[in-house]
Amino acid sequence: MTITRRDFLNGAALSIAAGIAPAGLVGQARAQAAAAGYPPALTGLRGNHAGTFTLAHGLAREGTTYPTVLARESYDLVVVGGGISGLATAWFYRQKFGADRRILILDNHDDFGGHAKRNEFTVRGKTLVSYGGSAEMPPSATDSTAMRAMLAGVGIDIRTAPPPSQGDAYQRRGLGRAVFFDAEHFGRDQWLAGDPFADGIDARNAGGQPPTDAIAHFLDAAPLPPADRQALLRLAQGGVDYLADMIGADRTAYIQRTRYAVFLREKAGLGLPGVRFLRSRSHDAYALDADGISVAQAIAIGLPAGAGMPARVLDPRLGKSPASRLWFADGNATLARALIQALVPGVSTAPRGGAGLADARFDYARLDRDGSPVRVRLNSTAVAIEPDVRITRVTYGWQGNLQRVEAQHVVVAGYNMMVPFILPTLPAPAKATLRACVKAPVVYTKVALDDWRAFETLKAWRVHAPTMPYSDLWLEAPAGAAVDPANPVVLHMLYVPTVPDSGMSARERFRAGRAFLLGTPFDALEREIRAQLDRMLAPGGFASSKQVRAITLNRWAHGYSYMPGGLAPDDATLQAALEQAGRGVGNVRIAGADSAGSASVTGAVDTAWRAVDSLSRPAA
């Protein structure tokens, strides 16, 4: 199978559509939010925004050495990373050693929460709340002792059932799914109502089977060659054992070590158009396409693989899956807010617990105040950690200068691949393990729409575009009780930069996608967003110049944590090696989802608990 230049442009890079002017509202909104000191309301380029990686790239890429400065502060605990894992670390530490312990949390972003980022928009006087990264809870979240303790401790009732699916309100109005085929890959632009393959994924995750008549009807209208239509129908029906000639260990090995795209071509008989149709179904779960995941990983999220396959077993390390649920409108940012509320008195006047935090305004000026037992210092990048017998020194960049603090304990809960550079005394095997934690790039773009009349006209609330830059987009739950197409709404758009059908390893794909994302300016990305929306939604009367009120592009060049599968030679031993590396050195421990080999919020919390549990009581 060959890779066309257009495949690369659509899979690994965004093309720049000329002549489409930005809305001109982004800069104004950013300035207003910055003046108000409230990062969630910032629009434009978020996630790994400018300034978050400058010092780190200097250290890791250019070998920059930073001078030694005198320590000016001392703490019981310094946490490097203010995401869910770092905040949970501080919370567990206070539970274990007392609320009077002095803690400093450093984070290189301008907001707390890490990937659990909160996005806010104001459109026509209405506040729209969304999530910019870590969003959902896996079904196994409350199986974790650490997660249960933390949720209960910050006032979130885990017995409360998650809210309905984001699409429920739209489905009651007769809106469903749709697929958009683009001319570059399928011969013509075509909007096709329904998405029985997505319905099939949902059905398999619920323990059932999709109706085959809907699949056949859909394929009859799809711009696919007849041979691919038949092959896709056989695959979806699930009656063919494509591995009938394999038994026992051979069959198991094939499922675990063979790419899903290879299986689709060589066993299921799909041609290039058929593979392209299924190519990006795994983007949301793995940040990899069909050529980057194994057959076993495909089965785990409900993708079709025929008869005789092992039962679907959902991997609890997944951060997103068809079985995970969105508990809060701002995703896991509510967890971050609940932790901050518990750690920093007076930061919010909202009642304790999740429900009151949804509409709460946080006072960021209180995060780093003299005399507070817990201080959260944003825009601070750690560049050196030096363990000694009893005291560990941490050097970080902040406000244009280097600062140094001393602490009895240090927990690194940020991007684990940076740990070998800032903690050079870490044992060599641990360094090698952490360097293997190449994170997957992913973009969550949030578009504030003045209304959603075009979606009402098209009778679709969710669209899959197999080979376009943004492979999936959907309307988030409407704000308020009134479900009115004339009201503003947030549109979620998912982009995963991959190099389709290349045979590259996951790490190679992640590095290529990261380089692209960091090298592409926001205005180019915005033009492509508008171009894709105008092209796809034109039959519903959509025009970005009229409907789009703001865009927040959450760029995660270092997004999903690397999750050992079965395709890389070291995957079999990496999980155990990560646990060993988490023990750190001296009084330094390593936490975070990376060290769990998981993109799940559960992994972030579990490693925080593990890190604190291994620490001895600090000296008085």
Side-chain angles (χ1 to χ4, degrees):
M1 181 179 293
T2 59
I3 314 166
T4 67
R5 180 177 182 275
R6 190 171 296 278
D7 273 326
F8 182 81
L9 288 173
N10 281 273
L14 292 172
S15 58
I16 298 175
I20 303 173
L25 300 175
V26 168
Q28 179 183 355
R30 175 177 289 277
Q32 291 172 346
Y38 190 62
L42 289 169
T43 58
L45 189 59
R46 301 294 291 150
N48 298 128
H49 57 76
T52 60
F53 48 82
T54 306
L55 293 178
H57 281 185
L59 188 68
R61 292 183 175 185
E62 301 163 19
T64 302
T65 56
Y66 297 104
T68 300
V69 295
L70 293 176
R72 297 186 178 184
E73 297 175 283
S74 63
Y75 293 88
D76 295 304
L77 170 69
V78 169
V79 182
V80 178
I84 293 291
S85 192
L87 298 176
T89 295
W91 189 85
F92 286 127
Y93 194 89
R94 297 181 86 204
Q95 297 300 304
K96 181 175 181 179
F97 298 123
D100 59 337
R101 294 298 175 176
R102 299 186 67 246
I103 301 172
L104 175 65
I105 301 171
L106 302 172
D107 196 88
N108 59 326
H109 293 84
D110 61 9
D111 201 355
F112 58 81
H115 289 166
K117 198 70 67 185
R118 179 180 171 99
N119 293 163
E120 289 187 19
F121 303 95
T122 301
V123 180
R124 289 194 273 130
K126 295 181 174 65
T127 299
L128 306 177
V129 175
S130 184
Y131 53 91
S134 176
E136 298 180 346
M137 288 278 198
S140 59
T142 53
D143 293 339
S144 162
T145 301
M147 180 67 84
R148 289 199 305 272
M150 187 197 77
L151 291 175
V154 299
I156 296 177
D157 188 354
I158 62 175
R159 297 169 299 179
T160 303
S165 167
Q166 293 187 78
D168 285 0
Y170 301 111
Q171 290 168 8
R172 287 194 293 269
R173 292 182 63 91
L175 278 65
R177 295 175 179 263
V179 176
F180 182 81
F181 297 87
D182 65 295
E184 295 87 342
H185 293 87
F186 298 101
R188 65 177 183 269
D189 278 2
Q190 182 172 338
W191 175 280
L192 196 53
D195 188 355
F197 278 81
D199 295 337
I201 291 172
D202 292 342
R204 292 182 193 94
N205 279 281
Q209 287 293 329
T212 56
D213 55 345
I215 295 172
H217 179 74
F218 177 89
L219 290 172
D220 284 343
L224 296 167
D228 276 350
R229 294 181 191 176
Q230 292 301 315
L232 283 166
L233 182 59
R234 287 193 299 269
L235 179 68
Q237 288 173 332
V240 178
D241 185 348
Y242 296 101
L243 305 181
D245 58 337
M246 297 183 189
I247 59 173
D250 291 341
R251 190 182 185 98
T252 300
Y254 178 91
I255 292 169
Q256 293 176 344
R257 299 172 188 171
T258 303
R259 299 172 189 270
Y260 187 53
V262 172
F263 164 81
L264 293 175
R265 292 194 305 267
E266 297 182 355
K267 300 297 183 180
L270 269 65
L272 181 57
V275 174
R276 282 173 171 169
F277 173 67
L278 290 179
R279 186 167 80 186
S280 56
R281 297 286 181 174
S282 53
H283 277 183
D284 213 11
Y286 297 104
L288 288 165
D289 64 10
D291 192 49
I293 63 170
S294 68
V295 178
Q297 289 174 311
I299 293 170
I301 60 171
L303 284 167
M309 292 296 182
R312 188 194 66 83
V313 178
L314 188 65
D315 193 328
R317 298 173 300 166
L318 282 173
K320 291 201 70 177
S321 76
S324 60
R325 296 297 297 271
L326 184 73
W327 279 19
F328 309 104
D330 63 357
N332 293 323
T334 284
L335 302 187
R337 290 180 140 221
L339 286 163
I340 285 288
Q341 187 184 51
L343 294 169
V344 183
V347 71
S348 170
T349 58
R352 178 173 170 270
L357 294 176
D359 302 318
R361 188 81 171 193
F362 274 51
D363 183 357
Y364 280 70
R366 291 182 173 271
L367 293 178
D368 189 10
R369 284 195 167 182
D370 291 339
S372 177
V374 179
R375 304 181 69 169
V376 182
R377 192 160 294 163
L378 301 173
N379 297 304
S380 301
T381 303
V383 296
I385 299 175
E386 306 159 87
D388 208 333
V389 177
R390 292 186 57 190
I391 295 296
T392 296
R393 297 171 180 86
V394 179
T395 303
Y396 63 96
W398 181 56
Q399 297 183 340
N401 295 299
L402 289 178
Q403 308 286 338
R404 201 183 199 196
V405 296
E406 295 179 341
Q408 296 193 51
H409 294 137
V410 173
V411 175
V412 186
Y415 178 27
N416 281 187
M417 197 175 180
M418 278 301 302
V419 177
F421 298 101
I422 62 177
L423 182 59
T425 57
L426 195 67
K431 287 183 180 180
T433 297
L434 296 176
R435 288 294 304 275
C437 294
V438 182
K439 295 171 79 76
V442 64
V443 174
Y444 281 6
T445 288
K446 304 293 179 164
V447 182
L449 299 178
D450 191 70
D451 62 73
W452 45 280
R453 291 185 176 97
F455 291 85
E456 174 84 353
T457 299
L458 293 167
K459 293 301 177 186
W461 72 277
R462 181 164 186 154
V463 188
H464 179 63
T467 48
M468 297 199 76
Y470 283 89
S471 59
D472 292 276
L473 56 136
W474 59 83
L475 295 175
E476 296 189 0
V483 184
D484 186 345
N487 285 339
V489 74
V490 175
L491 177 68
H492 174 97
M493 300 179 68
L494 170 71
Y495 171 55
V496 178
T498 63
V499 189
D501 308 321
S502 66
M504 292 169 64
S505 70
R507 292 185 178 99
E508 290 170 329
R509 293 164 187 267
F510 296 163
R511 292 187 181 102
R514 177 176 66 211
F516 168 73
L517 286 183
L518 292 177
T520 306
F522 174 77
D523 58 349
L525 297 169
E526 181 184 7
R527 286 195 295 270
E528 180 60 41
I529 292 163
R530 291 171 174 274
Q532 182 170 336
L533 290 177
D534 285 335
R535 181 177 176 182
M536 292 175 58
L537 303 176
F542 181 89
S544 63
S545 59
K546 296 179 180 179
Q547 268 84 28
V548 173
R549 290 292 166 263
I551 295 175
T552 298
L553 191 146
N554 298 281
R555 175 184 67 180
W556 300 112
H558 304 283
Y560 290 3
S561 298
Y562 184 84
M563 193 174 80
L567 296 179
D570 65 337
D571 279 355
T573 58
L574 185 57
Q575 199 78 41
L578 284 172
E579 186 171 345
Q580 177 65 33
R583 300 176 186 177
V585 59
N587 281 333
V588 180
R589 299 292 182 269
I590 300 167
D594 291 355
S595 63
S598 167
S600 168
V601 64
T602 312
V605 174
D606 283 345
T607 56
W609 180 87
R610 182 190 67 192
V612 172
D613 186 60
S614 70
L615 295 173
S616 301
R617 177 169 292 277

